[in-house]
Amino acid sequence: MSTVPPDLARLRSSIDNIDAALVHLLAERFKCTQAVGELKAAAGLPAADPGREETQVARLKALADESGLDPRFAEAFLNFIIAEVIHHHEHIAGRSGGE
């Protein structure tokens, strides 16, 4: 059985904590977007909002750049989330008889 160096164990523990925080943050974000989907469906608004999405991508890319994170990665990550949100909104709209 190999012994994990203390520095490695410490870093892995930090990574585990950050991963847990990310999951909790994503869950909270999806609770908010679920409510947005309900409001959009009730108002007969489309599931996607390209202008808002474009603004968010630009904002997140700038934040990523400021934070030393590859802006292309941030864009890809946000685009993945946006696609999932739109899918949820389409499902909500279909349930409520909206678009």
Side-chain angles (χ1 to χ4, degrees):
M1 178 155 103
S2 69
T3 303
V4 175
D7 287 345
L8 179 57
R10 180 182 48 77
L11 288 169
R12 285 179 174 172
S13 178
S14 292
I15 290 167
D16 292 349
N17 289 336
I18 293 166
D19 287 347
L22 286 171
V23 168
H24 290 290
L25 287 170
L26 284 171
E28 191 61 31
R29 188 186 195 287
F30 275 96
K31 286 178 191 173
C32 291
T33 60
Q34 181 79 11
V36 167
E38 298 287 345
L39 291 170
K40 282 182 172 184
L45 296 171
D49 184 345
R52 164 79 174 158
E53 294 153 19
E54 184 179 318
T55 299
Q56 284 299 93
V57 167
R59 186 176 74 81
L60 268 283
K61 284 175 70 175
L63 286 170
D65 191 46
E66 292 168 11
S67 300
L69 182 66
D70 182 350
R72 292 170 301 170
F73 171 78
E75 180 177 17
F77 181 70
L78 186 59
N79 282 333
F80 174 78
I81 291 171
I82 288 170
E84 188 66 19
V85 168
I86 290 169
H87 174 73
H88 289 178
H89 288 187
E90 289 169 343
H91 178 73
I92 292 167
R95 263 194 350 237
S96 68
E99 281 192 8

Coordinates of all heavy atoms in Angstrom, one line a residue:
M1 N 0.9 -1.2 0.0 CA 0.0 0.0 0.0 C 0.9 1.2 0.0 O 1.8 1.3 0.8 CB -0.9 0.0 1.2 CG -1.8 1.2 1.4 SD -3.2 0.8 2.3 CE -2.9 1.6 3.9
S2 N 0.6 2.2 -0.9 CA 1.5 3.4 -1.0 C 0.9 4.4 -0.1 O -0.3 4.6 0.2 CB 1.6 3.9 -2.4 OG 0.3 4.4 -2.8
T3 N 1.8 5.2 0.4 CA 1.5 6.3 1.3 C 1.4 7.6 0.4 O 2.2 7.9 -0.4 CB 2.6 6.6 2.4 OG1 2.7 5.3 3.1 CG2 2.2 7.7 3.3
V4 N 0.3 8.3 0.6 CA 0.1 9.6 -0.1 C 0.8 10.7 0.6 O 0.6 10.9 1.8 CB -1.4 9.9 -0.2 CG1 -1.7 11.2 -0.9 CG2 -2.2 8.8 -0.9
P5 N 1.7 11.4 -0.1 CA 2.4 12.5 0.6 C 1.4 13.5 1.1 O 0.3 13.8 0.5 CB 3.2 13.2 -0.6 CG 3.3 12.1 -1.6 CD 2.0 11.3 -1.5
P6 N 1.7 14.1 2.3 CA 0.7 15.1 2.9 C 0.3 16.2 2.0 O -0.9 16.6 2.0 CB 1.5 15.6 4.1 CG 2.5 14.5 4.4 CD 2.9 13.9 3.1
D7 N 1.2 16.8 1.2 CA 0.8 17.9 0.3 C -0.2 17.4 -0.7 O -1.1 18.1 -1.0 CB 2.1 18.4 -0.4 CG 2.9 19.3 0.6 OD1 2.4 19.6 1.7 OD2 4.1 19.6 0.2
L8 N 0.0 16.2 -1.2 CA -0.9 15.7 -2.2 C -2.3 15.4 -1.6 O -3.4 15.8 -2.1 CB -0.4 14.4 -2.8 CG -1.3 13.7 -3.8 CD1 -1.6 14.6 -5.0 CD2 -0.6 12.4 -4.3
A9 N -2.3 14.9 -0.4 CA -3.6 14.6 0.4 C -4.3 15.9 0.6 O -5.5 16.0 0.5 CB -3.3 13.9 1.7
R10 N -3.5 16.9 1.0 CA -4.1 18.3 1.3 C -4.8 18.8 0.0 O -5.9 19.3 0.1 CB -3.1 19.2 1.9 CG -3.6 20.6 2.2 CD -2.5 21.5 2.7 NE -1.3 21.5 1.9 CZ -1.2 22.2 0.7 NH1 -2.2 22.8 0.2 NH2 0.0 22.1 0.0
L11 N -4.0 18.8 -1.1 CA -4.6 19.3 -2.3 C -5.8 18.5 -2.8 O -6.8 19.1 -3.3 CB -3.5 19.3 -3.4 CG -2.4 20.3 -3.2 CD1 -1.2 20.1 -4.2 CD2 -3.0 21.7 -3.4
R12 N -5.8 17.2 -2.7 CA -6.9 16.4 -3.0 C -8.1 16.7 -2.2 O -9.3 16.8 -2.7 CB -6.6 14.9 -2.9 CG -5.7 14.4 -4.1 CD -5.4 13.0 -3.9 NE -4.6 12.5 -5.1 CZ -4.1 11.3 -5.1 NH1 -4.2 10.5 -4.1 NH2 -3.4 10.9 -6.2
S13 N -7.9 17.0 -0.9 CA -9.0 17.3 0.0 C -9.6 18.7 -0.4 O -10.8 18.9 -0.5 CB -8.5 17.4 1.4 OG -9.5 17.8 2.3
S14 N -8.7 19.6 -0.8 CA -9.2 20.9 -1.3 C -10.0 20.7 -2.6 O -11.1 21.3 -2.7 CB -8.1 21.9 -1.6 OG -7.4 22.2 -0.3
I15 N -9.6 19.9 -3.5 CA -10.3 19.6 -4.7 C -11.6 19.0 -4.4 O -12.7 19.4 -5.0 CB -9.4 18.7 -5.7 CG1 -8.2 19.5 -6.2 CG2 -10.3 18.2 -6.8 CD1 -7.2 18.7 -6.9
D16 N -11.7 18.1 -3.5 CA -13.0 17.4 -3.1 C -13.9 18.5 -2.6 O -15.1 18.5 -2.9 CB -12.7 16.3 -2.1 CG -12.0 15.1 -2.7 OD1 -11.8 15.1 -3.9 OD2 -11.6 14.3 -1.9
N17 N -13.4 19.4 -1.8 CA -14.3 20.4 -1.2 C -14.8 21.4 -2.3 O -16.0 21.8 -2.3 CB -13.6 21.2 -0.1 CG -13.3 20.4 1.1 OD1 -14.1 19.5 1.4 ND2 -12.3 20.8 1.9
I18 N -13.9 21.8 -3.2 CA -14.3 22.6 -4.3 C -15.3 22.0 -5.2 O -16.3 22.6 -5.6 CB -13.1 23.1 -5.1 CG1 -12.2 24.0 -4.2 CG2 -13.5 23.8 -6.4 CD1 -10.8 24.2 -4.8
D19 N -15.1 20.7 -5.5 CA -16.1 19.9 -6.3 C -17.5 19.9 -5.6 O -18.5 20.1 -6.3 CB -15.6 18.5 -6.6 CG -14.5 18.4 -7.5 OD1 -14.2 19.4 -8.2 OD2 -13.8 17.3 -7.6
A20 N -17.5 19.7 -4.3 CA -18.8 19.7 -3.6 C -19.4 21.1 -3.7 O -20.7 21.2 -3.9 CB -18.6 19.3 -2.2
A21 N -18.7 22.1 -3.5 CA -19.2 23.5 -3.6 C -19.8 23.7 -5.0 O -20.8 24.3 -5.2 CB -18.1 24.5 -3.3
L22 N -19.0 23.3 -6.1 CA -19.5 23.5 -7.4 C -20.9 22.8 -7.7 O -21.8 23.3 -8.3 CB -18.5 22.9 -8.4 CG -17.3 23.8 -8.6 CD1 -16.2 23.0 -9.5 CD2 -17.6 25.1 -9.3
V23 N -21.0 21.6 -7.1 CA -22.3 20.8 -7.3 C -23.4 21.6 -6.6 O -24.5 21.7 -7.2 CB -22.1 19.4 -6.8 CG1 -23.5 18.7 -6.6 CG2 -21.2 18.6 -7.7
H24 N -23.1 22.1 -5.4 CA -24.2 22.8 -4.7 C -24.5 24.1 -5.4 O -25.7 24.5 -5.4 CB -23.7 23.1 -3.2 CG -23.7 21.8 -2.4 ND1 -24.8 21.2 -2.0 CD2 -22.6 21.1 -1.9 CE1 -24.5 20.1 -1.3 NE2 -23.2 20.0 -1.2
L25 N -23.5 24.8 -5.9 CA -23.8 26.0 -6.7 C -24.6 25.8 -7.9 O -25.5 26.5 -8.3 CB -22.5 26.7 -7.0 CG -21.8 27.4 -5.8 CD1 -20.4 27.9 -6.3 CD2 -22.6 28.6 -5.3
L26 N -24.2 24.7 -8.6 CA -25.0 24.3 -9.8 C -26.4 24.0 -9.5 O -27.4 24.4 -10.2 CB -24.3 23.2 -10.6 CG -23.1 23.6 -11.4 CD1 -22.4 22.3 -11.9 CD2 -23.5 24.5 -12.6
A27 N -26.6 23.3 -8.4 CA -28.0 22.9 -8.0 C -28.8 24.2 -7.7 O -30.0 24.3 -8.1 CB -28.0 22.0 -6.7
E28 N -28.2 25.1 -7.0 CA -28.8 26.4 -6.7 C -29.1 27.2 -7.9 O -30.2 27.8 -8.1 CB -28.0 27.2 -5.7 CG -28.7 28.4 -5.1 CD -29.9 28.1 -4.3 OE1 -29.9 27.0 -3.6 OE2 -30.8 28.9 -4.3
R29 N -28.2 27.2 -8.9 CA -28.4 27.9 -10.2 C -29.6 27.3 -10.9 O -30.4 28.0 -11.4 CB -27.1 27.8 -11.0 CG -27.2 28.6 -12.3 CD -26.0 28.4 -13.2 NE -25.9 29.5 -14.2 CZ -26.6 29.6 -15.3 NH1 -27.6 28.7 -15.4 NH2 -26.4 30.5 -16.1
F30 N -29.7 25.9 -10.9 CA -30.8 25.3 -11.6 C -32.1 25.5 -10.9 O -33.1 25.5 -11.6 CB -30.5 23.8 -11.9 CG -29.7 23.6 -13.1 CD1 -28.3 23.5 -13.1 CD2 -30.3 23.6 -14.4 CE1 -27.5 23.3 -14.2 CE2 -29.5 23.4 -15.5 CZ -28.1 23.3 -15.4
K31 N -32.1 25.7 -9.6 CA -33.4 26.1 -8.9 C -33.8 27.4 -9.4 O -35.0 27.6 -9.7 CB -33.2 26.1 -7.4 CG -33.0 24.8 -6.7 CD -32.8 25.0 -5.3 CE -32.4 23.7 -4.6 NZ -32.0 23.8 -3.2
C32 N -32.9 28.4 -9.6 CA -33.3 29.7 -10.1 C -33.7 29.6 -11.6 O -34.7 30.2 -11.9 CB -32.1 30.6 -10.0 SG -31.6 31.1 -8.4
T33 N -33.0 28.8 -12.4 CA -33.4 28.8 -13.8 C -34.7 28.0 -14.0 O -35.5 28.3 -14.9 CB -32.3 28.1 -14.7 OG1 -32.0 26.8 -14.3 CG2 -31.1 29.0 -14.7
Q34 N -35.0 27.1 -13.0 CA -36.3 26.4 -13.1 C -37.4 27.4 -12.9 O -38.5 27.4 -13.6 CB -36.4 25.3 -12.0 CG -37.7 24.6 -11.9 CD -37.8 23.5 -12.9 OE1 -36.8 23.1 -13.6 NE2 -38.9 22.9 -13.1
A35 N -37.2 28.3 -11.9 CA -38.2 29.4 -11.7 C -38.4 30.3 -12.9 O -39.5 30.7 -13.2 CB -37.9 30.2 -10.4
V36 N -37.2 30.6 -13.5 CA -37.3 31.4 -14.7 C -38.1 30.7 -15.8 O -38.9 31.3 -16.5 CB -35.8 31.7 -15.2 CG1 -35.8 32.3 -16.7 CG2 -35.1 32.7 -14.3
G37 N -37.9 29.4 -16.0 CA -38.6 28.6 -16.9 C -40.1 28.7 -16.7 O -40.9 28.8 -17.6
E38 N -40.5 28.6 -15.4 CA -41.9 28.7 -15.1 C -42.5 30.0 -15.4 O -43.6 30.1 -16.0 CB -42.1 28.4 -13.6 CG -41.7 27.0 -13.1 CD -42.6 25.9 -13.5 OE1 -43.7 26.2 -13.9 OE2 -42.2 24.7 -13.4
L39 N -41.7 31.1 -15.1 CA -42.2 32.5 -15.5 C -42.3 32.7 -17.0 O -43.2 33.3 -17.5 CB -41.3 33.5 -14.9 CG -41.3 33.6 -13.3 CD1 -40.2 34.5 -12.8 CD2 -42.7 34.2 -12.9
K40 N -41.3 32.2 -17.7 CA -41.3 32.3 -19.2 C -42.5 31.5 -19.8 O -43.2 32.1 -20.6 CB -40.0 31.7 -19.8 CG -38.8 32.6 -19.7 CD -37.7 31.9 -20.4 CE -36.5 32.8 -20.5 NZ -35.4 32.1 -21.3
A41 N -42.8 30.3 -19.3 CA -43.9 29.5 -19.8 C -45.2 30.3 -19.5 O -46.1 30.3 -20.4 CB -43.9 28.2 -19.2
A42 N -45.3 30.8 -18.3 CA -46.6 31.5 -18.0 C -46.8 32.7 -18.8 O -47.9 33.1 -19.1 CB -46.6 31.9 -16.5
A43 N -45.7 33.4 -19.2 CA -45.8 34.6 -20.0 C -45.8 34.3 -21.5 O -45.9 35.2 -22.3 CB -44.7 35.5 -19.6
G44 N -45.6 33.1 -21.9 CA -45.6 32.7 -23.3 C -44.3 33.1 -24.0 O -44.2 33.3 -25.2
L45 N -43.2 33.3 -23.2 CA -41.9 33.6 -23.7 C -41.2 32.4 -24.2 O -41.4 31.3 -23.7 CB -41.1 34.4 -22.7 CG -41.7 35.7 -22.2 CD1 -40.9 36.2 -21.0 CD2 -41.7 36.7 -23.3
P46 N -40.3 32.6 -25.2 CA -39.5 31.4 -25.7 C -38.5 30.9 -24.7 O -38.1 31.7 -23.8 CB -38.8 32.0 -26.9 CG -38.8 33.5 -26.8 CD -40.0 33.8 -25.9
A47 N -38.2 29.7 -24.8 CA -37.2 29.0 -23.9 C -35.9 29.7 -23.9 O -35.2 29.8 -22.9 CB -37.2 27.5 -24.1
A48 N -35.4 30.0 -25.2 CA -34.1 30.6 -25.4 C -34.2 32.1 -25.4 O -35.2 32.6 -25.9 CB -33.5 30.0 -26.6
D49 N -33.1 32.7 -25.0 CA -33.0 34.2 -25.1 C -31.6 34.5 -25.6 O -30.7 34.7 -24.8 CB -33.3 34.8 -23.7 CG -33.3 36.3 -23.7 OD1 -32.8 36.9 -24.7 OD2 -33.7 36.9 -22.7
P50 N -31.4 34.4 -26.9 CA -30.1 34.6 -27.5 C -29.3 35.8 -27.0 O -28.1 35.8 -26.8 CB -30.3 34.6 -29.0 CG -31.6 33.9 -29.2 CD -32.4 34.2 -27.9
G51 N -30.0 37.0 -26.9 CA -29.3 38.2 -26.4 C -28.8 38.0 -25.0 O -27.6 38.4 -24.7
R52 N -29.6 37.5 -24.1 CA -29.2 37.3 -22.7 C -28.0 36.2 -22.7 O -27.0 36.4 -22.0 CB -30.4 36.7 -21.9 CG -30.0 36.1 -20.6 CD -29.7 37.1 -19.5 NE -29.6 36.4 -18.2 CZ -28.9 36.8 -17.2 NH1 -28.4 38.1 -17.2 NH2 -28.8 36.2 -16.1
E53 N -28.1 35.2 -23.5 CA -27.1 34.2 -23.5 C -25.8 34.7 -24.0 O -24.7 34.5 -23.4 CB -27.6 33.0 -24.4 CG -28.8 32.3 -23.8 CD -29.6 31.6 -24.8 OE1 -29.2 31.4 -25.9 OE2 -30.8 31.3 -24.5
E54 N -25.8 35.6 -25.0 CA -24.6 36.2 -25.6 C -24.0 37.1 -24.5 O -22.7 37.1 -24.4 CB -25.0 37.0 -26.8 CG -23.8 37.6 -27.5 CD -24.2 38.4 -28.8 OE1 -25.1 37.9 -29.5 OE2 -23.7 39.5 -29.0
T55 N -24.8 37.9 -23.8 CA -24.3 38.7 -22.8 C -23.6 37.9 -21.7 O -22.5 38.3 -21.2 CB -25.4 39.6 -22.2 OG1 -26.0 40.4 -23.2 CG2 -24.9 40.5 -21.1
Q56 N -24.3 36.8 -21.3 CA -23.7 36.0 -20.2 C -22.4 35.4 -20.6 O -21.5 35.3 -19.8 CB -24.7 34.9 -19.8 CG -25.9 35.4 -19.0 CD -25.4 36.0 -17.6 OE1 -25.1 37.2 -17.5 NE2 -25.2 35.2 -16.7
V57 N -22.3 34.9 -21.8 CA -21.1 34.3 -22.3 C -20.0 35.3 -22.3 O -18.9 35.0 -21.8 CB -21.3 33.6 -23.7 CG1 -19.9 33.3 -24.3 CG2 -22.2 32.4 -23.6
A58 N -20.2 36.5 -22.8 CA -19.2 37.5 -22.8 C -18.8 37.9 -21.4 O -17.6 38.0 -21.1 CB -19.7 38.8 -23.5
R59 N -19.7 38.0 -20.5 CA -19.4 38.3 -19.1 C -18.6 37.2 -18.4 O -17.6 37.5 -17.8 CB -20.7 38.5 -18.3 CG -20.5 39.0 -16.9 CD -21.9 39.3 -16.2 NE -22.6 38.1 -15.8 CZ -22.3 37.4 -14.7 NH1 -21.4 37.7 -13.9 NH2 -23.0 36.3 -14.5
L60 N -19.0 36.0 -18.6 CA -18.2 34.9 -18.0 C -16.8 34.7 -18.6 O -15.9 34.4 -17.9 CB -19.0 33.6 -18.1 CG -19.9 33.2 -17.0 CD1 -19.2 32.7 -15.8 CD2 -20.8 34.3 -16.6
K61 N -16.7 35.0 -19.9 CA -15.4 34.9 -20.5 C -14.5 36.0 -20.0 O -13.3 35.7 -19.7 CB -15.5 35.1 -22.1 CG -16.0 33.8 -22.8 CD -16.2 34.0 -24.2 CE -14.9 34.2 -25.0 NZ -15.1 34.3 -26.5
A62 N -15.0 37.2 -19.7 CA -14.2 38.2 -19.1 C -13.8 37.9 -17.7 O -12.6 38.1 -17.3 CB -14.9 39.6 -19.2
L63 N -14.7 37.4 -16.9 CA -14.4 36.9 -15.6 C -13.4 35.8 -15.6 O -12.5 35.8 -14.7 CB -15.7 36.4 -14.9 CG -16.7 37.5 -14.4 CD1 -18.0 36.8 -13.9 CD2 -16.1 38.3 -13.3
A64 N -13.5 34.9 -16.5 CA -12.5 33.8 -16.6 C -11.1 34.4 -16.9 O -10.1 34.0 -16.2 CB -12.9 32.8 -17.7
D65 N -11.1 35.3 -17.8 CA -9.8 35.9 -18.2 C -9.2 36.6 -17.0 O -8.0 36.4 -16.7 CB -10.0 36.8 -19.4 CG -8.7 37.3 -20.0 OD1 -7.8 36.4 -20.2 OD2 -8.5 38.5 -20.2
E66 N -10.0 37.3 -16.3 CA -9.5 38.1 -15.1 C -9.0 37.1 -14.0 O -8.1 37.4 -13.2 CB -10.6 38.9 -14.5 CG -11.0 40.1 -15.4 CD -12.3 40.8 -14.9 OE1 -12.7 40.4 -13.8 OE2 -12.8 41.6 -15.6
S67 N -9.6 35.9 -14.0 CA -9.2 34.9 -13.0 C -8.1 33.9 -13.4 O -7.8 33.0 -12.6 CB -10.5 34.1 -12.6 OG -11.5 35.0 -12.1
G68 N -7.6 34.1 -14.6 CA -6.6 33.2 -15.0 C -7.1 31.9 -15.5 O -6.4 30.9 -15.6
L69 N -8.4 31.8 -15.9 CA -9.0 30.6 -16.4 C -9.2 30.8 -17.9 O -9.5 31.9 -18.4 CB -10.4 30.4 -15.8 CG -11.1 29.1 -16.2 CD1 -10.4 27.9 -15.8 CD2 -12.5 29.2 -15.6
D70 N -8.9 29.8 -18.7 CA -9.1 29.9 -20.2 C -10.5 30.3 -20.5 O -11.5 29.6 -20.2 CB -8.7 28.5 -20.8 CG -8.8 28.5 -22.3 OD1 -9.3 29.5 -22.9 OD2 -8.4 27.5 -22.9
P71 N -10.7 31.5 -21.1 CA -12.0 31.9 -21.5 C -12.8 31.0 -22.4 O -14.0 30.9 -22.4 CB -11.8 33.3 -22.2 CG -10.5 33.7 -21.7 CD -9.7 32.5 -21.5
R72 N -12.0 30.2 -23.3 CA -12.7 29.2 -24.1 C -13.3 28.1 -23.3 O -14.4 27.6 -23.6 CB -11.7 28.7 -25.2 CG -11.3 29.8 -26.2 CD -10.2 29.3 -27.0 NE -9.0 28.9 -26.1 CZ -8.0 28.3 -26.5 NH1 -7.8 27.9 -27.7 NH2 -7.0 28.0 -25.6
F73 N -12.6 27.7 -22.2 CA -13.2 26.7 -21.4 C -14.4 27.2 -20.7 O -15.5 26.5 -20.6 CB -12.2 26.3 -20.3 CG -12.7 25.4 -19.3 CD1 -13.0 24.0 -19.5 CD2 -13.1 25.9 -18.0 CE1 -13.6 23.2 -18.5 CE2 -13.7 25.1 -17.1 CZ -13.9 23.7 -17.3
A74 N -14.4 28.5 -20.2 CA -15.5 29.1 -19.5 C -16.7 29.2 -20.5 O -17.9 28.9 -20.1 CB -15.2 30.5 -19.0
E75 N -16.4 29.5 -21.7 CA -17.5 29.6 -22.7 C -18.1 28.2 -23.0 O -19.3 28.1 -23.0 CB -17.0 30.2 -24.0 CG -18.0 30.3 -25.1 CD -17.5 31.0 -26.4 OE1 -16.2 31.0 -26.5 OE2 -18.3 31.4 -27.2
A76 N -17.3 27.2 -23.1 CA -17.8 25.9 -23.4 C -18.6 25.4 -22.2 O -19.7 24.8 -22.4 CB -16.6 24.9 -23.7
F77 N -18.1 25.6 -21.0 CA -18.9 25.2 -19.8 C -20.2 25.9 -19.7 O -21.2 25.3 -19.5 CB -18.0 25.6 -18.6 CG -18.6 25.1 -17.3 CD1 -18.7 23.8 -16.9 CD2 -19.1 26.1 -16.4 CE1 -19.3 23.4 -15.7 CE2 -19.6 25.7 -15.2 CZ -19.7 24.4 -14.8
L78 N -20.2 27.2 -19.9 CA -21.5 28.0 -19.9 C -22.4 27.6 -21.0 O -23.6 27.4 -20.8 CB -21.2 29.5 -19.9 CG -22.5 30.3 -19.7 CD1 -23.1 30.1 -18.3 CD2 -22.2 31.8 -19.8
N79 N -21.9 27.3 -22.2 CA -22.8 26.9 -23.3 C -23.4 25.5 -23.0 O -24.6 25.3 -23.3 CB -22.0 26.8 -24.6 CG -21.8 28.1 -25.2 OD1 -22.6 29.1 -25.0 ND2 -20.7 28.3 -26.0
F80 N -22.7 24.6 -22.3 CA -23.3 23.4 -21.8 C -24.4 23.6 -20.9 O -25.5 23.0 -21.0 CB -22.2 22.5 -21.2 CG -22.7 21.2 -20.6 CD1 -23.0 20.2 -21.4 CD2 -22.9 21.1 -19.2 CE1 -23.5 19.0 -20.8 CE2 -23.4 20.0 -18.7 CZ -23.7 18.9 -19.5
I81 N -24.2 24.5 -19.9 CA -25.2 24.8 -18.9 C -26.4 25.5 -19.6 O -27.6 25.1 -19.3 CB -24.7 25.7 -17.8 CG1 -23.7 24.9 -17.0 CG2 -25.8 26.3 -16.9 CD1 -22.9 25.8 -16.0
I82 N -26.2 26.4 -20.5 CA -27.3 27.1 -21.2 C -28.1 26.1 -22.0 O -29.4 26.1 -22.0 CB -26.7 28.2 -22.1 CG1 -26.2 29.4 -21.3 CG2 -27.8 28.7 -23.1 CD1 -25.4 30.4 -22.1
A83 N -27.5 25.2 -22.7 CA -28.2 24.2 -23.4 C -29.1 23.3 -22.5 O -30.3 23.0 -22.9 CB -27.2 23.3 -24.2
E84 N -28.6 23.0 -21.4 CA -29.4 22.2 -20.4 C -30.6 23.0 -19.9 O -31.7 22.5 -19.8 CB -28.5 21.7 -19.3 CG -29.2 20.7 -18.3 CD -29.6 19.4 -19.0 OE1 -29.0 19.1 -20.0 OE2 -30.4 18.7 -18.4
V85 N -30.3 24.3 -19.6 CA -31.4 25.2 -19.1 C -32.5 25.3 -20.2 O -33.7 25.2 -19.9 CB -30.8 26.6 -18.7 CG1 -32.0 27.6 -18.5 CG2 -30.0 26.4 -17.5
I86 N -32.1 25.5 -21.4 CA -33.1 25.7 -22.5 C -33.9 24.4 -22.6 O -35.1 24.4 -22.8 CB -32.4 26.0 -23.8 CG1 -31.8 27.5 -23.8 CG2 -33.3 25.8 -25.0 CD1 -30.9 27.8 -24.9
H87 N -33.2 23.2 -22.5 CA -34.0 22.0 -22.6 C -35.0 21.9 -21.5 O -36.2 21.5 -21.7 CB -33.0 20.8 -22.5 CG -33.6 19.5 -22.3 ND1 -34.2 18.8 -23.4 CD2 -33.7 18.6 -21.3 CE1 -34.7 17.7 -23.0 NE2 -34.4 17.5 -21.7
H88 N -34.6 22.3 -20.3 CA -35.6 22.3 -19.1 C -36.7 23.3 -19.4 O -37.9 23.0 -19.1 CB -34.9 22.7 -17.8 CG -33.9 21.7 -17.3 ND1 -33.2 21.9 -16.2 CD2 -33.6 20.5 -17.7 CE1 -32.4 20.8 -15.9 NE2 -32.7 20.0 -16.9
H89 N -36.4 24.5 -19.9 CA -37.4 25.5 -20.2 C -38.4 25.0 -21.3 O -39.6 25.2 -21.2 CB -36.8 26.8 -20.7 CG -36.1 27.5 -19.5 ND1 -35.6 28.8 -19.7 CD2 -35.9 27.2 -18.2 CE1 -35.1 29.2 -18.5 NE2 -35.2 28.2 -17.7
E90 N -37.9 24.3 -22.3 CA -38.8 23.7 -23.3 C -39.7 22.7 -22.7 O -40.9 22.6 -23.1 CB -37.9 23.1 -24.4 CG -37.2 24.1 -25.3 CD -36.2 23.6 -26.3 OE1 -35.8 22.4 -26.1 OE2 -35.8 24.3 -27.2
H91 N -39.2 21.9 -21.8 CA -40.0 20.9 -21.1 C -41.1 21.5 -20.3 O -42.2 21.1 -20.3 CB -39.1 20.0 -20.2 CG -39.8 18.9 -19.5 ND1 -40.3 17.8 -20.1 CD2 -40.2 18.9 -18.2 CE1 -41.0 17.1 -19.2 NE2 -40.9 17.7 -18.0
I92 N -40.7 22.6 -19.6 CA -41.7 23.3 -18.8 C -42.8 23.9 -19.6 O -44.0 23.8 -19.4 CB -41.0 24.4 -17.9 CG1 -40.1 23.8 -16.8 CG2 -42.0 25.3 -17.3 CD1 -39.1 24.7 -16.2
A93 N -42.4 24.5 -20.8 CA -43.3 25.1 -21.7 C -44.3 24.1 -22.2 O -45.5 24.3 -22.4 CB -42.6 25.9 -22.8
G94 N -43.7 22.9 -22.6 CA -44.6 21.8 -23.1 C -45.6 21.3 -22.1 O -46.7 21.0 -22.4
R95 N -45.2 21.3 -20.8 CA -46.1 20.9 -19.7 C -47.2 21.9 -19.5 O -48.3 21.5 -19.2 CB -45.3 20.8 -18.4 CG -44.8 19.5 -18.0 CD -44.3 19.4 -16.6 NE -44.2 20.6 -15.9 CZ -43.1 21.1 -15.3 NH1 -42.0 20.4 -15.4 NH2 -43.1 22.2 -14.6
S96 N -46.9 23.2 -19.7 CA -47.8 24.2 -19.4 C -48.6 24.6 -20.6 O -49.4 25.5 -20.5 CB -47.1 25.4 -18.8 OG -46.3 26.1 -19.7
G97 N -48.3 24.0 -21.8 CA -49.1 24.4 -23.0 C -48.5 25.6 -23.7 O -49.0 26.1 -24.6
G98 N -47.3 26.0 -23.2 CA -46.6 27.2 -23.9 C -46.0 26.7 -25.1 O -46.3 25.7 -25.7
E99 N -44.9 27.4 -25.6 CA -44.2 27.1 -26.8 C -43.7 25.6 -26.9 O -43.3 25.1 -26.0 CB -43.0 28.0 -27.0 CG -43.4 29.3 -27.5 CD -42.2 30.1 -27.9 OE1 -41.0 29.6 -28.0 OE2 -42.3 31.2 -28.2

